[in-house]
Amino acid sequence: METHEKGFFTEENSVEVVTGRNANARDPRLKQVMEVITRKLHEAVKEIEPTQDEWFKAIMYLTQTGHLCNEWRQEFILLSDVLGVSMLVDAINNRKPSGASESTVLGPFHVADAPELPMGANICLDQKGEDMVIHGRILDIDGRPVANAVLDVWQANDEGFYDVQQKGIQPDFNLRGVFRTGEDGRYWFRAVKPKFYPIPDDGTVGELLAGLGRHPYRPAHLHFILKADGFETLTTHIFDPHDPYINSDAVFGVKESLLAEFKRVDDAVRARELEFSGWFWEVEYDFVLAPSKKS
Ligand code: BEZ
Ligand code: FE
């Protein structure tokens, strides 16, 4: 009797033997997921034909990636980000009706308890950077204003750092805020123009990017989470289309529809009204929320 007829593992029948062993899995979803992963992983190993040393290097890479994870840092999410998997999972889970604003990655720098501020507040607490006013509307897909929508915004400063990366240098909650729309669905607030920045690149993900000849930068952006009763929560960014990294975001988060115009305004009267000292940047951007899937 041949080896494969007894069901022993061979190079040729590896997928069937392993998936066959999982036949009694209690959870059908786990069974399906492991069937796909086994098939694709064995296919990759058969194509790559790693040496024992290469396979050990891969195991140690993942081990080190795990060791870097703690309460503040999640190197596996970062790995998923630079592999394009975070954006793929985001796309699959956020298919929107036509006209609704698109989503993008959350990233690691959101904080849950940013202060709720009056509309128009300046979220820049250290007076550093180039003044910027942002305004627009939060609408439904029929163009009607969404009242009582909560807009949670956070951004890096003009040197490319979030407040949580510079504790003791930037004030707590610098460049963060939560705003609530009125009946007109309008929002506006003041801030400073954000700058591009590198994703954390002093760990295994940075090592991989360097090995692949890739830079770690994300183009300048503002993050938003928008919530309103009766609508799907939207996690998104708006980007500066003139940023040097706009076509090479390290985590693939840029979408055409998320490019906003950052307009330089030289208007002394408006600057005074906004309590800015000179020229400033102006961004206008409307968000369109998709109706909630659960009715
Ligand atoms: C961010 O935009 O904050 C971000 C997203 C993914 C990885 C690192 C940072
Ligand atoms: Fe960011």
Side-chain angles (χ1 to χ4, degrees), residues 99-164:
S101 295
E102 294 189 282
S103 61
T104 189
V105 279
L106 173 66
F109 299 122
H110 178 248
V111 304
D113 53 350
E116 184 159 342
L117 301 170
M119 208 56 93
N122 196 336
I123 60 172
C124 176
L125 306 179
D126 62 3
Q127 288 81 47
K128 289 187 186 149
E130 295 171 354
D131 292 322
M132 180 173 73
V133 61
I134 308 193
H135 58 97
R137 294 168 302 166
I138 303 180
L139 304 169
D140 67 15
I141 51 175
D142 297 316
R144 288 180 300 235
V146 178
N148 232 357
V150 174
L151 177 152
D152 185 347
V153 59
W154 68 105
Q155 63 162 92
N157 68 5
D158 74 326
E159 292 177 346
F161 292 104
Y162 288 88
D163 58 348
V164 290

Side-chain angles (χ1 to χ4, degrees), residues 81 104-110 123 132 134 152-162 165 174-176 189 191-200 216-225 235-246 248-255 258-262 283 285 287:
D81 293 343
T104 189
V105 279
L106 173 66
F109 299 122
H110 178 248
I123 60 172
M132 180 173 73
I134 308 193
D152 185 347
V153 59
W154 68 105
Q155 63 162 92
N157 68 5
D158 74 326
E159 292 177 346
F161 292 104
Y162 288 88
Q165 296 176 291
N174 193 32
L175 295 167
R176 298 177 185 275
F189 61 92
V192 291
K193 192 167 189 272
K195 187 154 181 217
F196 60 79
Y197 63 82
I199 63 168
Y217 289 95
R218 299 214 64 209
H221 56 271
L222 291 98
H223 291 257
F224 295 91
I225 298 177
T235 299
T236 196
H237 303 0
I238 56 181
F239 290 94
D240 174 5
H242 301 296
D243 188 278
Y245 297 105
I246 199 69
S248 62
D249 183 0
V251 304
F252 308 97
V254 181
K255 294 179 178 177
L258 305 180
L259 304 179
E261 193 189 348
F262 286 62
V283 179
Y285 193 88
F287 295 97

Side-chain angles (χ1 to χ4, degrees), residues 25-243:
R26 269 180 260 138
D27 178 344
R29 179 68 168 163
L30 175 67
K31 187 175 173 184
Q32 181 212 7
V33 167
M34 290 312 296
E35 194 272 315
V36 176
I37 288 178
T38 304
R39 185 158 32 86
K40 305 275 185 190
L41 188 59
H42 285 220
E43 187 190 343
V45 171
K46 286 173 190 184
E47 186 172 340
I48 296 164
E49 298 194 337
T51 63
Q52 293 285 2
D53 276 358
E54 284 173 330
W55 186 236
F56 187 66
K57 212 171 151 193
I59 300 277
M60 288 317 291
Y61 180 83
L62 294 175
T63 305
Q64 281 167 20
T65 301
H67 285 161
L68 285 168
C69 296
N70 57 38
E71 201 187 335
W72 312 110
R73 180 158 182 166
Q74 230 305 350
E75 196 76 359
F76 278 114
I77 296 184
L78 217 50
L79 184 57
S80 147
D81 293 343
V82 302
L83 294 176
V85 176
S86 301
M87 279 304 288
L88 200 49
V89 173
D90 183 74
I92 289 164
N93 285 280
N94 290 284
R95 294 182 183 122
K96 306 272 184 201
S98 142
S101 295
E102 294 189 282
S103 61
T104 189
V105 279
L106 173 66
F109 299 122
H110 178 248
V111 304
D113 53 350
E116 184 159 342
L117 301 170
M119 208 56 93
N122 196 336
I123 60 172
C124 176
L125 306 179
D126 62 3
Q127 288 81 47
K128 289 187 186 149
E130 295 171 354
D131 292 322
M132 180 173 73
V133 61
I134 308 193
H135 58 97
R137 294 168 302 166
I138 303 180
L139 304 169
D140 67 15
I141 51 175
D142 297 316
R144 288 180 300 235
V146 178
N148 232 357
V150 174
L151 177 152
D152 185 347
V153 59
W154 68 105
Q155 63 162 92
N157 68 5
D158 74 326
E159 292 177 346
F161 292 104
Y162 288 88
D163 58 348
V164 290
Q165 296 176 291
Q166 290 193 312
K167 285 195 181 289
I169 299 174
Q170 291 188 46
D172 288 349
F173 300 117
N174 193 32
L175 295 167
R176 298 177 185 275
V178 174
F179 298 90
R180 193 179 287 272
T181 58
E183 288 303 311
D184 60 3
R186 290 191 178 275
Y187 73 89
W188 78 280
F189 61 92
R190 290 166 295 158
V192 291
K193 192 167 189 272
K195 187 154 181 217
F196 60 79
Y197 63 82
I199 63 168
D201 66 341
D202 55 347
T204 49
V205 168
E207 193 189 314
L208 178 65
L209 290 178
L212 293 171
R214 279 170 59 179
H215 69 69
Y217 289 95
R218 299 214 64 209
H221 56 271
L222 291 98
H223 291 257
F224 295 91
I225 298 177
L226 292 143
K227 291 185 180 179
D229 283 349
F231 296 89
E232 290 293 302
T233 294
L234 173 66
T235 299
T236 196
H237 303 0
I238 56 181
F239 290 94
D240 174 5
H242 301 296
D243 188 278

